[in-house]
Amino acid sequence: MDSSNDEALDIIVTNVVATFRTRCHLNLRTIALEGTNVIYKPEVGKVLMKLRKPMITASIWSSGKIICTGATSEDEAKLGARRLARCLQKLGFKVRFSAFKVVNVLAVCSMPFAVHLIDFTKNNRPIASYEPELHPAATYRIKNLKATIQVFSTGSLTVTGPNVQNVATAVEQVYPLLFECQKPLCK
Amino acid sequence: MSFRVCRTCGGADIDVDQARGSAVCTGCGSVLEDNIIVSEVQFVEGSGGVSSAVGQFVSADGPVKAPLLGSGFHTSVGKESRAQTLQSGKRQIQQLGSQLQLNQHCLDTAFNFFKMVVSKHLTRGRKTEHVIAACLYLVCRTEGTPHMLLDLSDLLQVNVYILGKTFLLLARELCINAPAIDPCLYIPRFAHMLEFGVKTHEVSMTALRLVQRMKRDWMHTGRRPSGLCGAALLVAARMHKFRRTVKDVISVVKVCQTTLRKRLTEFEDTPTSQLTIDEFMRVDLEQECDPPSFIAAQNKAKMQQLEQELARKLDEVEGEISCYKDEIETELEKSRPKLRGIYAAYTKEIGEYRSNVCPSPQKLSREVEDAELQAATQHLTQDFLCQVIQEEEEEGRANKTGDGEQEVGPEKEGVGPQRQVAPLAVILGKLPSSLDLQQTFQTFICCCSTDEDSESGELDLEGIDDQEIEKYILNDNEVQVKTELWMKQNAEYLKEQQEKEERIRKEKEQGTYKEKKKKKSKRKEQIEALTAGEAIEKMLEKKKISSKINYDVLRDLNSRGTGSGGGSSPSRASSDPPDPNNTNTTTRKRLNRRRRKKTSEANQDLVTNASIMGKRFRRLISSTSKKKKTAPQVSNHSTCPHLSPPDSTCFHLPLPDST
């Protein structure tokens, strides 16, 4: 997919966030007392449950909505979510697995060149913004893809988007812009 | 100015004296006008010696009603909400801006931004403080004043990142492109604060040159400009023989010591640092450097490469050395006189002892390693992992022979297996994360096809190992223990919950249970009523009571009209404890004492009055109701005496129009 340049750019997906619903009310106290690897936060009203096999952390609310984070790919997230639902089923709740949706995907990527952030921001004025007082990276938001790319001066990128395909497209889109403002290495 | 003619003499020459405010005819001397209203601008001295003009700006698009002259109501009743927001915003901008010493032009621009923001409804859900700070900072950036976001957050005691978030949002929504911060802007300000006396200007110039050099050397991207300025100023001060310590500089510049030191070290790495002071002032080096983080990353990459090369070389060398070692040993064995009998046993021991002493630990550990590795390979059944382990094995061995090479110096057995375990974990960790994207797409597409089950809500048990999941659930004993622990840990919270429940129960019994409904969105229910009277009653109950209705009049209407309400209302007034019948306390809570007296019964009286007295009711509900108050009273008074004295020929009572 990223064949816009000669060498392939490695886009490494580091985090996938997904949500799903169990369509039934969950008693958080039961989960907290009968499950391993759980942290109960009664003030907030949720239970954190951590699974080992796909290394994921799930936030479980009593309404039956569950947010699953920490997976490294979309199908891993789905697998983890299903595992979790199975676990809750075993605890005695009438769990149904519905409305599974991947909400956010975080990926990192590295350009083989450094980027001049100020030029990059000037060329892409309203879409890109750079506040060195607040954050060392320039933020580039692509509206139609709903993706956000953070560009660091070393050339590494952090991309967040609703799914993996968007992330790849976003990187492709931004690559030529970065290429223009690159800083050639002298040493 | 003489557009008038004198009345007495007809002369057109009239002298208008602005100071006295009088117009005098120069011909006959008669005063034509006195106390002329002067339309000149007056000035008043404000705080700090600033003189400002007296007067108010009236905007063209402001409220239509003229501001009340003289004493209006104490709170600005006549203004609309939007005008109030803008007014309070302007006040806050002035306040904050004067603390930052911004000139009036900047404050006006900030107010314009604020107006734009309000018209776009961006103030909703945000503290006005934050919005105003963001507007001011926007102005600072567009004008290029040396104010940092940190200053604003200092004044307001708000987290700088929160302000930054608001600022970014406003800049985006208003499509204002704030130019990037140039560290050169801050230098004069910081130099002034560091008190260099007469030489402030020179030091600033030197510091500016340094900053420009840093920019060319790529030290400024991604860094706080204040940190760079700090480093530049420190060096410049030392160059001009001023003793400014790091602590002085950081108190002015607001970065921490570590940052400053780091910037100085980075600058040290650039070739410019090698120049002398004079050279630096004269010459500007052509060469540009790479950004420091880039250099660091490159160094790391180089180190890794070196390690790999060395490992490879060691492999080869190791191979040779082991060959030689074997050959030497075999030769030695041959040349050594072989002891027989009991001495053979001793040689074995000695042999072992010798091997223990010299390259020994490797042999022993190698044996141990082998055993461990075999066990490890048994666990791991995948082929290519085996290969990797073998490679690591060799590397491990190679590293061990190397004297003082890299990390694995001391040949302890503990280190050996650990080092084996660590790379394995690293391998296992790396594999799943660096998936090829095509692979993920394929798998995702496969996943998509099995999406139908999600609609039905059935749980697809494919690929889930039940046994594993069982591990996640504790058995009974564990549950008990955990319950106890949890109860102990969260005892406070549980106590609070219990108290709350008891309180609610008590109140329910007493009947004073104020059901604090969690704020649901107020849906405007359709008022269903059979008669107009009922509708009005319900409307009055629901709507917030307006300040424009004169309740005394309404109550009096009621009392005069029916004759019973008057008696009932004062009695009700005396008894103030909460009424059990009173179901509308929630909506009345905010009203003042006077209005609380009005219960639903009073409403009904009002309503009957309203329906009876059609027009009159409407006339009464107006701000000028006080005047009309006398009218019904008079009419009522007039009706009564009219009945009693029959001989009222000379008695003309003014009967107002009572239609």
Side-chain angles (χ1 to χ4, degrees), chain B residues 210 214 217 219 223 227-239 244-247 249-250 255-274 292:
Chain B
L210 279 164
M214 285 182 192
D217 285 336
M219 271 174 64
R223 270 83 187 277
L228 283 176
C229 292
L233 274 171
L234 186 64
V235 174
R238 295 279 169 84
M239 276 164 71
R244 295 285 177 266
T245 59
V246 174
K247 273 191 193 160
V249 175
I250 59 177
V255 288
C256 83
Q257 245 189 25
T258 330
T259 318
L260 203 58
R261 287 241 169 81
K262 211 171 165 199
R263 298 286 170 270
L264 289 171
T265 2
E266 284 168 8
F267 189 60
E268 207 182 330
D269 288 337
T270 65
T272 317
S273 61
Q274 306 300 324

mmCIF file of all heavy atoms in Angstrom, chain B residues 210 214 217 219 223 227-239 244-247 249-250 255-274 292:
data_model
loop_
_atom_site.group_PDB
_atom_site.id
_atom_site.type_symbol
_atom_site.label_atom_id
_atom_site.label_comp_id
_atom_site.label_asym_id
_atom_site.label_seq_id
_atom_site.Cartn_x
_atom_site.Cartn_y
_atom_site.Cartn_z
ATOM 1 N N LEU B 210 23.703 34.420 18.770
ATOM 2 C CA LEU B 210 23.795 33.032 19.214
ATOM 3 C C LEU B 210 22.530 32.268 18.850
ATOM 4 O O LEU B 210 22.590 31.130 18.375
ATOM 5 C CB LEU B 210 23.989 32.983 20.735
ATOM 6 C CG LEU B 210 25.403 33.211 21.219
ATOM 7 C CD1 LEU B 210 25.402 33.522 22.685
ATOM 8 C CD2 LEU B 210 26.256 31.992 20.955
ATOM 9 N N MET B 214 22.033 29.060 16.556
ATOM 10 C CA MET B 214 21.369 27.844 17.009
ATOM 11 C C MET B 214 20.295 27.429 16.022
ATOM 12 O O MET B 214 20.081 26.240 15.767
ATOM 13 C CB MET B 214 20.715 28.071 18.367
ATOM 14 C CG MET B 214 21.670 28.105 19.523
ATOM 15 S SD MET B 214 20.732 28.315 21.026
ATOM 16 C CE MET B 214 22.016 28.668 22.155
ATOM 17 N N ASP B 217 21.764 25.729 13.249
ATOM 18 C CA ASP B 217 22.230 24.409 13.639
ATOM 19 C C ASP B 217 21.103 23.496 14.064
ATOM 20 O O ASP B 217 21.341 22.448 14.657
ATOM 21 C CB ASP B 217 23.231 24.535 14.799
ATOM 22 C CG ASP B 217 24.573 25.044 14.322
ATOM 23 O OD1 ASP B 217 24.875 24.855 13.127
ATOM 24 O OD2 ASP B 217 25.313 25.624 15.134
ATOM 25 N N MET B 219 18.830 23.516 16.343
ATOM 26 C CA MET B 219 18.576 23.200 17.748
ATOM 27 C C MET B 219 17.207 23.683 18.190
ATOM 28 O O MET B 219 16.767 23.377 19.283
ATOM 29 C CB MET B 219 19.615 23.895 18.623
ATOM 30 C CG MET B 219 20.840 23.071 18.830
ATOM 31 S SD MET B 219 22.056 24.009 19.691
ATOM 32 C CE MET B 219 21.243 24.293 21.238
ATOM 33 N N ARG B 223 11.581 22.640 20.230
ATOM 34 C CA ARG B 223 11.976 23.031 21.588
ATOM 35 C C ARG B 223 11.273 24.295 22.006
ATOM 36 O O ARG B 223 10.911 25.130 21.192
ATOM 37 C CB ARG B 223 13.484 23.310 21.628
ATOM 38 C CG ARG B 223 14.283 22.106 21.959
ATOM 39 C CD ARG B 223 14.538 21.254 20.743
ATOM 40 N NE ARG B 223 15.165 20.009 21.101
ATOM 41 C CZ ARG B 223 16.465 19.873 21.288
ATOM 42 N NH1 ARG B 223 17.246 20.911 21.143
ATOM 43 N NH2 ARG B 223 16.968 18.712 21.625
ATOM 44 N N GLY B 227 13.805 28.127 26.404
ATOM 45 C CA GLY B 227 15.000 27.380 26.784
ATOM 46 C C GLY B 227 16.212 27.825 25.986
ATOM 47 O O GLY B 227 17.310 28.046 26.523
ATOM 48 N N LEU B 228 15.993 28.000 24.675
ATOM 49 C CA LEU B 228 17.093 28.451 23.815
ATOM 50 C C LEU B 228 17.572 29.819 24.223
ATOM 51 O O LEU B 228 18.781 30.094 24.293
ATOM 52 C CB LEU B 228 16.613 28.539 22.380
ATOM 53 C CG LEU B 228 16.482 27.249 21.613
ATOM 54 C CD1 LEU B 228 15.895 27.548 20.272
ATOM 55 C CD2 LEU B 228 17.837 26.613 21.441
ATOM 56 N N CYS B 229 16.600 30.687 24.493
ATOM 57 C CA CYS B 229 16.965 32.054 24.893
ATOM 58 C C CYS B 229 17.790 32.015 26.160
ATOM 59 O O CYS B 229 18.769 32.762 26.290
ATOM 60 C CB CYS B 229 15.713 32.871 25.174
ATOM 61 S SG CYS B 229 14.757 33.207 23.739
ATOM 62 N N GLY B 230 17.375 31.157 27.074
ATOM 63 C CA GLY B 230 18.101 31.069 28.328
ATOM 64 C C GLY B 230 19.562 30.702 28.106
ATOM 65 O O GLY B 230 20.477 31.345 28.634
ATOM 66 N N ALA B 231 19.743 29.673 27.278
ATOM 67 C CA ALA B 231 21.114 29.241 27.021
ATOM 68 C C ALA B 231 21.912 30.347 26.342
ATOM 69 O O ALA B 231 23.061 30.641 26.720
ATOM 70 C CB ALA B 231 21.101 27.997 26.144
ATOM 71 N N ALA B 232 21.292 30.985 25.356
ATOM 72 C CA ALA B 232 21.995 32.041 24.613
ATOM 73 C C ALA B 232 22.372 33.191 25.535
ATOM 74 O O ALA B 232 23.496 33.730 25.475
ATOM 75 C CB ALA B 232 21.121 32.553 23.476
ATOM 76 N N LEU B 233 21.442 33.559 26.405
ATOM 77 C CA LEU B 233 21.711 34.690 27.290
ATOM 78 C C LEU B 233 22.807 34.357 28.285
ATOM 79 O O LEU B 233 23.635 35.207 28.615
ATOM 80 C CB LEU B 233 20.439 35.095 28.037
ATOM 81 C CG LEU B 233 19.568 36.070 27.256
ATOM 82 C CD1 LEU B 233 18.247 36.243 27.939
ATOM 83 C CD2 LEU B 233 20.266 37.404 27.142
ATOM 84 N N LEU B 234 22.795 33.134 28.751
ATOM 85 C CA LEU B 234 23.837 32.747 29.700
ATOM 86 C C LEU B 234 25.211 32.881 29.069
ATOM 87 O O LEU B 234 26.136 33.485 29.638
ATOM 88 C CB LEU B 234 23.587 31.303 30.150
ATOM 89 C CG LEU B 234 24.486 30.791 31.245
ATOM 90 C CD1 LEU B 234 24.255 31.572 32.499
ATOM 91 C CD2 LEU B 234 24.222 29.331 31.509
ATOM 92 N N VAL B 235 25.329 32.355 27.867
ATOM 93 C CA VAL B 235 26.627 32.420 27.182
ATOM 94 C C VAL B 235 26.995 33.860 26.875
ATOM 95 O O VAL B 235 28.144 34.293 27.082
ATOM 96 C CB VAL B 235 26.575 31.585 25.885
ATOM 97 C CG1 VAL B 235 27.838 31.750 25.096
ATOM 98 C CG2 VAL B 235 26.328 30.132 26.213
ATOM 99 N N ALA B 236 26.016 34.627 26.434
ATOM 100 C CA ALA B 236 26.295 36.025 26.088
ATOM 101 C C ALA B 236 26.744 36.795 27.319
ATOM 102 O O ALA B 236 27.675 37.619 27.258
ATOM 103 C CB ALA B 236 25.053 36.665 25.484
ATOM 104 N N ALA B 237 26.087 36.518 28.441
ATOM 105 C CA ALA B 237 26.461 37.216 29.670
ATOM 106 C C ALA B 237 27.905 36.902 30.054
ATOM 107 O O ALA B 237 28.689 37.791 30.417
ATOM 108 C CB ALA B 237 25.510 36.821 30.791
ATOM 109 N N ARG B 238 28.236 35.633 29.961
ATOM 110 C CA ARG B 238 29.601 35.261 30.314
ATOM 111 C C ARG B 238 30.600 35.883 29.349
ATOM 112 O O ARG B 238 31.707 36.257 29.743
ATOM 113 C CB ARG B 238 29.752 33.728 30.262
ATOM 114 C CG ARG B 238 28.931 33.012 31.291
ATOM 115 C CD ARG B 238 29.600 33.010 32.635
ATOM 116 N NE ARG B 238 28.708 32.552 33.673
ATOM 117 C CZ ARG B 238 28.489 31.277 33.971
ATOM 118 N NH1 ARG B 238 29.092 30.336 33.287
ATOM 119 N NH2 ARG B 238 27.654 30.971 34.932
ATOM 120 N N MET B 239 30.182 35.974 28.085
ATOM 121 C CA MET B 239 31.088 36.566 27.101
ATOM 122 C C MET B 239 31.378 38.014 27.429
ATOM 123 O O MET B 239 32.464 38.513 27.164
ATOM 124 C CB MET B 239 30.458 36.479 25.701
ATOM 125 C CG MET B 239 30.700 35.146 25.037
ATOM 126 S SD MET B 239 29.623 34.842 23.646
ATOM 127 C CE MET B 239 30.232 35.966 22.447
ATOM 128 N N ARG B 244 26.348 35.647 35.586
ATOM 129 C CA ARG B 244 24.973 35.216 35.794
ATOM 130 C C ARG B 244 24.976 33.710 35.928
ATOM 131 O O ARG B 244 25.371 32.997 35.036
ATOM 132 C CB ARG B 244 24.089 35.609 34.583
ATOM 133 C CG ARG B 244 23.944 37.094 34.406
ATOM 134 C CD ARG B 244 23.000 37.696 35.441
ATOM 135 N NE ARG B 244 22.929 39.149 35.277
ATOM 136 C CZ ARG B 244 23.675 40.005 35.948
ATOM 137 N NH1 ARG B 244 24.547 39.585 36.841
ATOM 138 N NH2 ARG B 244 23.554 41.301 35.732
ATOM 139 N N THR B 245 24.521 33.225 37.059
ATOM 140 C CA THR B 245 24.519 31.780 37.254
ATOM 141 C C THR B 245 23.320 31.158 36.555
ATOM 142 O O THR B 245 22.387 31.859 36.147
ATOM 143 C CB THR B 245 24.434 31.424 38.736
ATOM 144 O OG1 THR B 245 23.234 31.992 39.237
ATOM 145 C CG2 THR B 245 25.626 31.952 39.488
ATOM 146 N N VAL B 246 23.362 29.849 36.502
ATOM 147 C CA VAL B 246 22.250 29.125 35.871
ATOM 148 C C VAL B 246 20.947 29.416 36.608
ATOM 149 O O VAL B 246 19.885 29.593 36.017
ATOM 150 C CB VAL B 246 22.560 27.613 35.863
ATOM 151 C CG1 VAL B 246 21.387 26.819 35.368
ATOM 152 C CG2 VAL B 246 23.765 27.343 34.991
ATOM 153 N N LYS B 247 21.071 29.532 37.925
ATOM 154 C CA LYS B 247 19.845 29.762 38.723
ATOM 155 C C LYS B 247 19.206 31.098 38.381
ATOM 156 O O LYS B 247 17.986 31.205 38.254
ATOM 157 C CB LYS B 247 20.188 29.746 40.210
ATOM 158 C CG LYS B 247 20.151 28.377 40.779
ATOM 159 C CD LYS B 247 20.238 28.391 42.283
ATOM 160 C CE LYS B 247 20.521 26.974 42.766
ATOM 161 N NZ LYS B 247 21.069 26.948 44.099
ATOM 162 N N VAL B 249 19.353 32.699 35.611
ATOM 163 C CA VAL B 249 18.746 32.639 34.281
ATOM 164 C C VAL B 249 17.439 31.847 34.320
ATOM 165 O O VAL B 249 16.446 32.254 33.721
ATOM 166 C CB VAL B 249 19.737 32.018 33.276
ATOM 167 C CG1 VAL B 249 19.090 31.825 31.930
ATOM 168 C CG2 VAL B 249 20.951 32.903 33.141
ATOM 169 N N ILE B 250 17.449 30.718 35.024
ATOM 170 C CA ILE B 250 16.218 29.923 34.965
ATOM 171 C C ILE B 250 15.077 30.587 35.712
ATOM 172 O O ILE B 250 13.915 30.382 35.382
ATOM 173 C CB ILE B 250 16.407 28.481 35.476
ATOM 174 C CG1 ILE B 250 16.881 28.444 36.919
ATOM 175 C CG2 ILE B 250 17.328 27.729 34.582
ATOM 176 C CD1 ILE B 250 16.993 27.041 37.419
ATOM 177 N N VAL B 255 12.531 27.852 32.710
ATOM 178 C CA VAL B 255 12.732 26.452 32.315
ATOM 179 C C VAL B 255 13.519 25.838 33.448
ATOM 180 O O VAL B 255 13.969 26.545 34.326
ATOM 181 C CB VAL B 255 13.541 26.297 31.008
ATOM 182 C CG1 VAL B 255 12.728 26.714 29.828
ATOM 183 C CG2 VAL B 255 14.817 27.077 31.081
ATOM 184 N N CYS B 256 13.717 24.527 33.413
ATOM 185 C CA CYS B 256 14.422 23.951 34.544
ATOM 186 C C CYS B 256 15.901 23.786 34.239
ATOM 187 O O CYS B 256 16.322 23.872 33.087
ATOM 188 C CB CYS B 256 13.779 22.635 34.955
ATOM 189 S SG CYS B 256 14.331 21.261 34.000
ATOM 190 N N GLN B 257 16.665 23.512 35.270
ATOM 191 C CA GLN B 257 18.123 23.461 35.129
ATOM 192 C C GLN B 257 18.577 22.449 34.107
ATOM 193 O O GLN B 257 19.495 22.699 33.314
ATOM 194 C CB GLN B 257 18.720 23.089 36.491
ATOM 195 C CG GLN B 257 19.547 24.175 37.085
ATOM 196 C CD GLN B 257 20.277 23.707 38.303
ATOM 197 O OE1 GLN B 257 20.547 22.527 38.453
ATOM 198 N NE2 GLN B 257 20.600 24.639 39.162
ATOM 199 N N THR B 258 17.917 21.297 34.165
ATOM 200 C CA THR B 258 18.324 20.218 33.260
ATOM 201 C C THR B 258 18.208 20.647 31.810
ATOM 202 O O THR B 258 19.099 20.373 30.993
ATOM 203 C CB THR B 258 17.437 18.987 33.468
ATOM 204 O OG1 THR B 258 16.997 18.955 34.805
ATOM 205 C CG2 THR B 258 18.186 17.728 33.132
ATOM 206 N N THR B 259 17.096 21.322 31.514
ATOM 207 C CA THR B 259 16.898 21.759 30.136
ATOM 208 C C THR B 259 18.012 22.681 29.698
ATOM 209 O O THR B 259 18.601 22.532 28.620
ATOM 210 C CB THR B 259 15.568 22.508 30.008
ATOM 211 O OG1 THR B 259 14.577 21.836 30.748
ATOM 212 C CG2 THR B 259 15.152 22.637 28.574
ATOM 213 N N LEU B 260 18.335 23.623 30.579
ATOM 214 C CA LEU B 260 19.355 24.598 30.221
ATOM 215 C C LEU B 260 20.689 23.919 29.991
ATOM 216 O O LEU B 260 21.394 24.183 29.011
ATOM 217 C CB LEU B 260 19.461 25.626 31.358
ATOM 218 C CG LEU B 260 20.037 26.968 30.983
ATOM 219 C CD1 LEU B 260 19.230 27.599 29.888
ATOM 220 C CD2 LEU B 260 20.063 27.874 32.188
ATOM 221 N N ARG B 261 21.011 23.016 30.877
ATOM 222 C CA ARG B 261 22.291 22.305 30.742
ATOM 223 C C ARG B 261 22.316 21.537 29.430
ATOM 224 O O ARG B 261 23.333 21.526 28.727
ATOM 225 C CB ARG B 261 22.455 21.295 31.890
ATOM 226 C CG ARG B 261 22.738 21.936 33.187
ATOM 227 C CD ARG B 261 24.094 21.498 33.757
ATOM 228 N NE ARG B 261 24.411 22.375 34.881
ATOM 229 C CZ ARG B 261 23.915 22.218 36.104
ATOM 230 N NH1 ARG B 261 23.104 21.201 36.349
ATOM 231 N NH2 ARG B 261 24.218 23.066 37.062
ATOM 232 N N LYS B 262 21.196 20.939 29.140
ATOM 233 C CA LYS B 262 21.138 20.146 27.906
ATOM 234 C C LYS B 262 21.368 21.022 26.672
ATOM 235 O O LYS B 262 22.103 20.650 25.755
ATOM 236 C CB LYS B 262 19.758 19.484 27.814
ATOM 237 C CG LYS B 262 19.788 18.175 27.099
ATOM 238 C CD LYS B 262 18.484 17.451 27.220
ATOM 239 C CE LYS B 262 18.467 16.336 26.189
ATOM 240 N NZ LYS B 262 17.146 15.865 25.907
ATOM 241 N N ARG B 263 20.704 22.182 26.671
ATOM 242 C CA ARG B 263 20.896 23.088 25.529
ATOM 243 C C ARG B 263 22.347 23.491 25.406
ATOM 244 O O ARG B 263 22.913 23.586 24.299
ATOM 245 C CB ARG B 263 20.046 24.357 25.669
ATOM 246 C CG ARG B 263 18.582 24.147 25.713
ATOM 247 C CD ARG B 263 17.999 23.787 24.384
ATOM 248 N NE ARG B 263 16.631 23.370 24.571
ATOM 249 C CZ ARG B 263 16.254 22.120 24.799
ATOM 250 N NH1 ARG B 263 17.133 21.169 24.810
ATOM 251 N NH2 ARG B 263 15.003 21.836 25.012
ATOM 252 N N LEU B 264 22.978 23.745 26.559
ATOM 253 C CA LEU B 264 24.378 24.159 26.509
ATOM 254 C C LEU B 264 25.247 23.040 25.964
ATOM 255 O O LEU B 264 26.157 23.286 25.161
ATOM 256 C CB LEU B 264 24.844 24.562 27.916
ATOM 257 C CG LEU B 264 24.242 25.870 28.436
ATOM 258 C CD1 LEU B 264 24.581 26.065 29.890
ATOM 259 C CD2 LEU B 264 24.747 27.050 27.629
ATOM 260 N N THR B 265 24.976 21.818 26.381
ATOM 261 C CA THR B 265 25.772 20.704 25.864
ATOM 262 C C THR B 265 25.575 20.537 24.375
ATOM 263 O O THR B 265 26.527 20.268 23.638
ATOM 264 C CB THR B 265 25.392 19.363 26.547
ATOM 265 O OG1 THR B 265 24.352 19.577 27.450
ATOM 266 C CG2 THR B 265 26.589 18.758 27.218
ATOM 267 N N GLU B 266 24.327 20.702 23.944
ATOM 268 C CA GLU B 266 24.085 20.572 22.507
ATOM 269 C C GLU B 266 24.837 21.639 21.736
ATOM 270 O O GLU B 266 25.402 21.377 20.667
ATOM 271 C CB GLU B 266 22.595 20.702 22.214
ATOM 272 C CG GLU B 266 21.805 19.483 22.575
ATOM 273 C CD GLU B 266 20.327 19.764 22.553
ATOM 274 O OE1 GLU B 266 19.929 20.854 22.108
ATOM 275 O OE2 GLU B 266 19.567 18.888 22.996
ATOM 276 N N PHE B 267 24.836 22.825 22.296
ATOM 277 C CA PHE B 267 25.552 23.889 21.619
ATOM 278 C C PHE B 267 27.047 23.600 21.606
ATOM 279 O O PHE B 267 27.744 23.909 20.637
ATOM 280 C CB PHE B 267 25.257 25.223 22.314
ATOM 281 C CG PHE B 267 25.783 26.403 21.561
ATOM 282 C CD1 PHE B 267 25.349 26.660 20.285
ATOM 283 C CD2 PHE B 267 26.717 27.240 22.128
ATOM 284 C CE1 PHE B 267 25.831 27.744 19.582
ATOM 285 C CE2 PHE B 267 27.198 28.337 21.428
ATOM 286 C CZ PHE B 267 26.757 28.584 20.155
ATOM 287 N N GLU B 268 27.485 22.991 22.656
ATOM 288 C CA GLU B 268 28.898 22.635 22.742
ATOM 289 C C GLU B 268 29.291 21.682 21.615
ATOM 290 O O GLU B 268 30.412 21.702 21.125
ATOM 291 C CB GLU B 268 29.132 21.945 24.084
ATOM 292 C CG GLU B 268 30.521 22.089 24.621
ATOM 293 C CD GLU B 268 30.632 21.320 25.926
ATOM 294 O OE1 GLU B 268 29.609 21.202 26.627
ATOM 295 O OE2 GLU B 268 31.731 20.829 26.188
ATOM 296 N N ASP B 269 28.340 20.834 21.242
ATOM 297 C CA ASP B 269 28.651 19.857 20.203
ATOM 298 C C ASP B 269 28.763 20.467 18.826
ATOM 299 O O ASP B 269 29.289 19.841 17.920
ATOM 300 C CB ASP B 269 27.555 18.772 20.168
ATOM 301 C CG ASP B 269 27.637 17.862 21.369
ATOM 302 O OD1 ASP B 269 28.738 17.786 21.955
ATOM 303 O OD2 ASP B 269 26.622 17.240 21.713
ATOM 304 N N THR B 270 28.213 21.651 18.666
ATOM 305 C CA THR B 270 28.290 22.249 17.335
ATOM 306 C C THR B 270 29.676 22.842 17.116
ATOM 307 O O THR B 270 30.349 23.232 18.069
ATOM 308 C CB THR B 270 27.253 23.370 17.174
ATOM 309 O OG1 THR B 270 27.578 24.423 18.079
ATOM 310 C CG2 THR B 270 25.865 22.853 17.465
ATOM 311 N N PRO B 271 30.107 22.945 15.858
ATOM 312 C CA PRO B 271 31.450 23.483 15.597
ATOM 313 C C PRO B 271 31.597 24.940 15.992
ATOM 314 O O PRO B 271 32.706 25.408 16.258
ATOM 315 C CB PRO B 271 31.627 23.297 14.084
ATOM 316 C CG PRO B 271 30.272 23.104 13.550
ATOM 317 C CD PRO B 271 29.458 22.522 14.624
ATOM 318 N N THR B 272 30.485 25.665 16.069
ATOM 319 C CA THR B 272 30.573 27.086 16.416
ATOM 320 C C THR B 272 31.165 27.280 17.803
ATOM 321 O O THR B 272 31.803 28.298 18.079
ATOM 322 C CB THR B 272 29.178 27.715 16.381
ATOM 323 O OG1 THR B 272 28.506 27.235 15.224
ATOM 324 C CG2 THR B 272 29.263 29.217 16.320
ATOM 325 N N SER B 273 30.920 26.310 18.663
ATOM 326 C CA SER B 273 31.390 26.489 20.034
ATOM 327 C C SER B 273 32.904 26.518 20.127
ATOM 328 O O SER B 273 33.472 26.977 21.112
ATOM 329 C CB SER B 273 30.859 25.368 20.914
ATOM 330 O OG SER B 273 31.331 24.137 20.431
ATOM 331 N N GLN B 274 33.549 26.043 19.086
ATOM 332 C CA GLN B 274 35.005 26.014 19.143
ATOM 333 C C GLN B 274 35.636 27.359 18.837
ATOM 334 O O GLN B 274 36.806 27.578 19.087
ATOM 335 C CB GLN B 274 35.548 24.990 18.114
ATOM 336 C CG GLN B 274 34.947 23.609 18.254
ATOM 337 C CD GLN B 274 35.219 23.018 19.598
ATOM 338 O OE1 GLN B 274 36.297 23.229 20.156
ATOM 339 N NE2 GLN B 274 34.261 22.307 20.137
ATOM 340 N N PRO B 292 19.918 17.829 17.185
ATOM 341 C CA PRO B 292 20.584 16.999 18.194
ATOM 342 C C PRO B 292 19.913 15.643 18.403
ATOM 343 O O PRO B 292 20.584 14.645 18.606
ATOM 344 C CB PRO B 292 20.487 17.819 19.474
ATOM 345 C CG PRO B 292 20.089 19.166 19.067
ATOM 346 C CD PRO B 292 19.500 19.114 17.723
#
